[in-house]
Amino acid sequence: MNTLIDSFYAAVGLIAAGESRLAGIVLLSLRVSLSAVGIAALFGLPLGALLAVGRFPGRQVLLVVIDGFMGLPSVVVGLLVYLLLSRAGPLGPLGILFTPAAMIVAQTILITPLIAALARQIVADAWAEYHEQLRSLGAGPWRASLTLLWDTRFSLFTALLAGFGRAAAEVGAVMIVGGNIDGVTRVMTTTIALETSKGDLPLALALGLVLIALIMAVNIAAHLTRHWAIRRYG
Amino acid sequence: MSPLRRTLLAGIAALSLATAPALAEDKFIVVSSTTSTEQSGLFGYLLPIFEKKTGIKVRVVALGTGQALDMARRGDADVVFVHDKAAEEKFVAEGFGVERKEVMYNDFVLIGPKADPARIAGGKDILEGLKKIEAAKAPFVSRGDKSGTHAAELRYWKAAGIDLDQAKGPWYRDTGSGMGPALNTAASMNAYILADRGTWLSFKNRGELAIAVEGDQRLFNQYGVMLVNPAKHPHVKKDLGQQFIDWVLSAEGQQAIAGYKIDGQQLFFPNAKR
Amino acid sequence: MMNGERKVFPLELADVCFASGGQRIIENVSLAIDGGVRTVILGANGAGKSVLMRLMHGLLTPTSGEIRWCGRSERAAAQAMVFQRPIMLRTTVIGNVAYGLKLAGVGKEERLARAAAALDRVGLAHIAKRPARVLSGGEQQRVALARAWALEPLVLFLDEPTASIDPGGAQKVERIIGKIAAGGCKIVMTTHNLGQARRLADEIIFLHRGRVAEYSPASVFFAGPRSPEAVSFMKGELP
């Protein structure tokens, strides 16, 4: 219990001091996870929409695969991306191992299935409501996908926030492909892991509290967005 | 564009600007090293001095010795800085390393619970200490991760005449983890554990643990540094890497190593051959 | 303002059947429907009116049989449909009306102008910028009509368009349907409301259990239906 109380005070102290290393770590975490969400959205949203609206051979298989990959263990993704990006691997010449770029790649791979699966569900529900009218007006599957993606934008935003939460909270992938290099690839979760392994539990917990606060803020943003959208647009 | 969208875009733009360091133009090398050098804080002290002098940033990826060498074999590091002479010599013999140079040493200490079930506290003989632990079947935590410390531990058991495969039992806990996590585990289990002095001194979660055996000559732990062979991996930054190695072996670098202290205690002892 | 000289009528159904999930919903329907008159498909709940309409509009494909527009088997362009529950996108009223035009490739300025004109014709110009989904059912249905009307269709299908609306709103909708018809657009509508059929129909297709029981001009039908099923329906004995 003492450790918890110590940590709480340590956390407040850290944040109040606006310690620049902490700020750097937090900003890097945000940059990596937000970039991952952005890229994952670019791939995952259209993929989810097409799975919801389209009918093509292999669709069922793809559905099962994506739903399954929602729960990919982050450490496995990290290992696979490491093998890809290592100098000994196929993408070695890119030279991005142990840089934030590698971390973004790993987290993008991790959360794209999640975003695609959530988008599929959201768009499928909207498609069920709209499909006759959209087809009557002459919309083909591509056009309908775009219309539905825009129409469900608020629910999709919530799905993106879920993806962000998953990315910001994971440690397995970024640890392996980033190397936890001080000042370069050290993010909140890997710092927590490091401080824990150094036995500095109050500091680790303090960082943990900051991370939890961040994720909580993101979730509150999600709730408020949904509320506002329903009131405004019905 | 709705005001919400505008704010979001502005926020993301600001974030990107704020956090994008001028990485592309920096000179840097990747050094694979061990958790003991990283977690003891040595690199945190040493590298800024080197960087200030040469403008070269050193990016340390801290793993166990075995992993660090494997990473270098794959070409993912420019320089290796570890503490397992046999493994290092093999690395050079295989052609992955250019030359092995000795840099510094520290020592291992045998840590144990203050309650001391094996009755070894205050001892000066590591082999005797291990024999008594095995005889008492007192809980012992091993790193089990092919690290330099793990390799040393296995050598001591062998030298003490104990065949681990036979003697292993519930008392011997192989955790497969780094020094810090293994110490955490030992602290919560009240177990004996072999650690390097540097990590021990900077470790904060000691619980009921204290040093049980120290000072044995055999506990001497030598660190070596090697440039990854550009013949095997042409992309290795051999000039920058060599600058780092030369500096660490130079009078200035050696003095810096000696200058690193925790609570007034020196952790690492420079011993590069001139 | 009609679209050129394209002939789409008569709309012919030749021995059309539709089955789904093992159930036969439409059985051997053969019809020839001409332009110009307002056709109402009447029948009890479950008779298959909605399915028949969707087959005509092309949303469903017949299990057997053929559908031809003026002898051609490809789906006629310039059709529109309004559904029982109006489907509104999460955008403004005018955005919804302009959406159909956007799909048809109309440029931005022209489609906003045409959308505004259509809204004016249905009496909703004053709420063009409101989010469409917060409107009442009746208002939403009028927006749906404006959306269809803005496309200048040759045929307008309506599936129970007032079933989910209050009487005041229903009246407005009926008046708009009348105006659309007056502009030269063919109306095909389903309803189970006898009063509405009397008010709006020029001819009646009476559907019973997926078959056409009777097809005659409205005056003839309402004077005295010939089929026993239609007689029962008029007496209120069918649901």
Side-chain angles (χ1 to χ4, degrees):
Chain A
M1 198 54 199
N2 268 334
T3 310
L4 273 170
I5 296 176
D6 286 340
S7 308
F8 184 72
Y9 285 123
V12 175
L14 273 178
I15 299 165
E19 220 234 350
S20 69
R21 283 184 69 191
L22 175 64
I25 289 172
V26 172
L27 282 175
L28 181 64
S29 306
L30 286 176
R31 176 176 156 226
V32 168
S33 296
L34 283 174
S35 305
V37 170
I39 302 171
L42 229 53
F43 288 106
L45 293 180
L47 178 59
L50 278 170
L51 280 171
V53 167
R55 294 290 176 268
F56 49 87
R59 175 177 168 266
Q60 276 296 114
V61 173
L62 198 52
L63 268 175
V64 171
V65 165
I66 288 188
D67 279 349
F69 279 9
M70 263 208 285
L72 271 178
S74 60
V75 69
V76 171
V77 174
L79 177 60
L80 289 170
V81 176
Y82 178 79
L83 291 173
L84 268 177
L85 297 178
S86 164
R87 288 282 174 180
L91 297 179
L94 285 177
I96 60 171
L97 187 62
F98 302 135
T99 66
M103 296 157 77
I104 293 173
V105 167
Q107 288 199 342
T108 302
I109 293 176
L110 191 65
I111 63 176
T112 299
L114 176 64
I115 289 179
L118 288 176
R120 186 200 69 80
Q121 187 61 65
I122 291 167
V123 171
D125 287 345
W127 180 238
E129 187 190 339
Y130 291 175
H131 77 103
E132 284 190 320
Q133 182 70 80
L134 290 183
R135 284 171 56 216
S136 168
L137 289 168
W142 281 104
R143 208 56 236 262
S145 296
L146 286 173
T147 302
L148 290 171
L149 282 175
W150 176 246
D151 205 73
T152 54
R153 57 197 177 280
F154 300 107
S155 301
L156 290 178
F157 182 64
T158 308
L160 293 186
L161 289 178
F164 174 79
R166 175 103 209 270
E170 74 86 22
V171 64
V174 290
M175 183 71 95
I176 297 180
V177 307
N180 201 14
I181 298 172
D182 192 14
V184 181
T185 56
R186 198 165 281 178
V187 290
M188 302 212 67
T189 49
T190 56
T191 309
I192 292 170
L194 178 63
E195 295 304 326
T196 304
S197 73
K198 280 159 79 171
D200 196 345
L201 301 187
L203 179 58
L205 258 175
L207 286 167
L209 290 173
V210 173
L211 182 57
I212 289 174
L214 197 69
I215 293 186
M216 271 274 106
V218 160
N219 276 292
I220 291 173
H223 273 265
L224 288 176
T225 307
R226 297 217 64 212
H227 250 279
W228 174 83
I230 290 177
R231 284 189 49 212
R232 173 109 165 74
Y233 286 96
Chain B
M1 204 186 281
S2 75
L4 175 66
R5 194 125 163 250
R6 233 187 308 229
T7 329
L8 274 172
L9 283 172
I12 292 173
L15 210 58
S16 314
L17 282 172
T19 61
L23 274 180
E25 305 313 318
D26 283 348
K27 298 190 288 185
F28 70 90
I29 54 170
V30 174
V31 173
S32 70
S33 186
T34 64
T35 48
S36 53
T37 36
E38 166 84 9
Q39 290 181 5
S40 61
L42 174 68
F43 282 136
Y45 173 78
L46 206 62
L47 299 178
I49 303 175
F50 174 70
E51 189 188 325
K52 199 156 168 216
K53 173 161 189 188
T54 61
I56 302 173
K57 286 205 192 323
V58 178
R59 297 188 184 173
V60 175
V61 180
L63 308 161
T65 295
Q67 267 183 291
L69 290 168
D70 282 338
M71 181 184 143
R73 283 191 181 94
R74 276 191 291 268
D76 291 328
D78 302 303
V79 172
V80 185
F81 193 124
V82 293
H83 59 109
D84 183 349
K85 183 170 175 184
E88 293 163 38
E89 287 175 338
K90 180 161 176 257
F91 184 75
V92 173
E94 286 168 353
F96 288 106
V98 174
E99 198 188 347
R100 176 181 178 269
K101 292 283 206 191
E102 304 198 324
V103 186
M104 64 195 194
Y105 68 90
N106 70 350
D107 60 334
F108 291 118
V109 289
L110 184 62
I111 306 292
K114 292 195 183 120
D116 196 20
R119 308 247 157 276
I120 61 173
K124 295 248 178 278
D125 187 334
I126 178 68
L127 302 184
E128 277 310 303
L130 287 182
K131 282 187 197 151
K132 287 193 179 147
I133 289 173
E134 193 268 332
K137 304 275 182 252
F140 182 91
V141 168
S142 166
R143 283 189 55 184
D145 65 343
K146 285 199 334 179
S147 59
T149 310
H150 182 224
E153 180 212 318
L154 294 177
R155 282 199 303 274
Y156 298 141
W157 286 117
K158 194 155 174 225
I162 294 170
D163 181 353
L164 263 186
D165 287 326
Q166 299 274 15
K168 240 185 247 200
W171 61 275
Y172 184 85
R173 282 123 202 226
D174 185 332
T175 61
S177 59
M179 194 72 253
L183 278 169
N184 271 328
T185 309
S188 37
M189 286 181 184
N190 264 344
Y192 292 93
I193 179 170
L194 184 72
D196 65 281
R197 190 185 294 274
T199 309
W200 171 251
L201 281 177
S202 48
F203 185 71
K204 299 201 178 75
N205 186 29
R206 294 179 182 182
E208 289 300 305
L209 299 180
I211 296 181
V213 174
E214 63 179 323
D216 187 334
Q217 272 277 47
R218 287 172 284 220
L219 289 171
F220 173 93
N221 175 32
Q222 178 69 50
Y223 284 79
V225 66
M226 299 174 285
L227 180 68
V228 176
N229 192 354
K232 283 261 190 186
H233 292 289
H235 61 267
V236 162
K237 295 177 182 164
K238 62 182 205 279
D239 295 319
L240 299 180
Q242 193 60 50
Q243 274 188 60
F244 175 69
I245 293 173
D246 291 339
W247 180 82
V248 144
L249 299 174
S250 72
E252 196 190 312
Q254 296 277 291
Q255 230 172 16
I257 291 172
Y260 180 60
K261 295 179 165 60
I262 293 186
D263 293 334
Q265 260 198 294
Q266 184 178 344
L267 257 50
F268 298 94
F269 299 85
N271 70 341
K273 299 185 171 61
R274 299 304 158 101
Chain C
M1 257 169 65
M2 295 315 299
N3 277 313
E5 299 293 311
R6 271 198 338 272
K7 289 177 54 127
V8 297
F9 297 107
L11 164 61
E12 285 175 294
L13 278 72
D15 218 20
V16 167
C17 295
F18 184 80
S20 165
Q23 284 251 32
R24 311 248 286 260
I25 303 178
I26 298 291
E27 300 216 52
N28 302 106
V29 166
S30 295
L31 291 166
I33 301 176
D34 278 315
V37 289
R38 293 183 293 197
T39 307
V40 170
I41 304 173
L42 204 55
N45 280 333
K49 310 190 290 295
S50 293
V51 171
L52 183 62
M53 172 149 294
R54 280 160 173 76
L55 285 164
M56 290 178 183
H57 184 41
L59 289 180
L60 291 174
T61 321
T63 320
S64 64
E66 269 182 54
I67 299 183
R68 291 187 286 266
W69 291 85
C70 194
R72 298 187 296 274
S73 54
E74 68 282 356
R75 185 177 186 261
Q79 302 179 37
M81 183 158 173
V82 167
F83 297 83
Q84 181 175 335
R85 278 181 216 293
I87 304 295
M88 295 287 117
L89 297 173
R90 279 183 185 86
T91 178
T92 57
V93 165
I94 192 161
N96 268 279
V97 177
Y99 178 70
L101 294 167
K102 192 168 168 190
L103 285 180
V106 176
K108 188 161 187 197
E109 268 192 45
E110 193 193 333
R111 66 173 182 257
L112 283 177
R114 279 166 70 172
L119 276 176
D120 199 37
R121 292 198 293 272
V122 303
L124 290 177
H126 59 289
I127 52 168
K129 293 293 178 84
R130 241 196 268 145
R133 283 170 86 107
V134 306
L135 300 181
S136 72
E139 286 168 328
Q140 286 188 351
Q141 197 63 295
R142 285 194 277 156
V143 174
L145 282 164
R147 179 168 60 197
W149 204 351
L151 295 172
E152 293 167 11
L154 293 171
V155 188
L156 178 61
F157 291 96
L158 301 112
D159 187 15
E160 313 252 10
T162 58
S164 311
I165 303 175
D166 65 284
Q171 225 181 26
K172 293 197 179 118
V173 166
E174 284 184 14
R175 247 181 278 140
I176 293 169
I177 295 175
K179 284 205 272 184
I180 296 176
C185 175
K186 164 84 180 171
I187 300 288
V188 181
M189 198 172 98
T190 65
T191 186
H192 62 264
N193 181 328
L194 276 177
Q196 185 170 77
R198 275 187 219 270
R199 283 191 294 275
L200 296 181
D202 293 326
E203 63 182 19
I204 298 283
I205 299 173
F206 184 77
L207 210 60
H208 178 73
R209 298 224 188 124
R211 289 176 189 279
V212 175
E214 215 171 313
Y215 182 15
S216 41
S219 48
V220 170
F221 183 85
F222 288 118
R226 280 164 295 146
S227 58
E229 301 89 347
V231 172
S232 299
F233 179 74
M234 298 285 280
K235 283 203 217 151
E237 283 161 17
L238 293 180

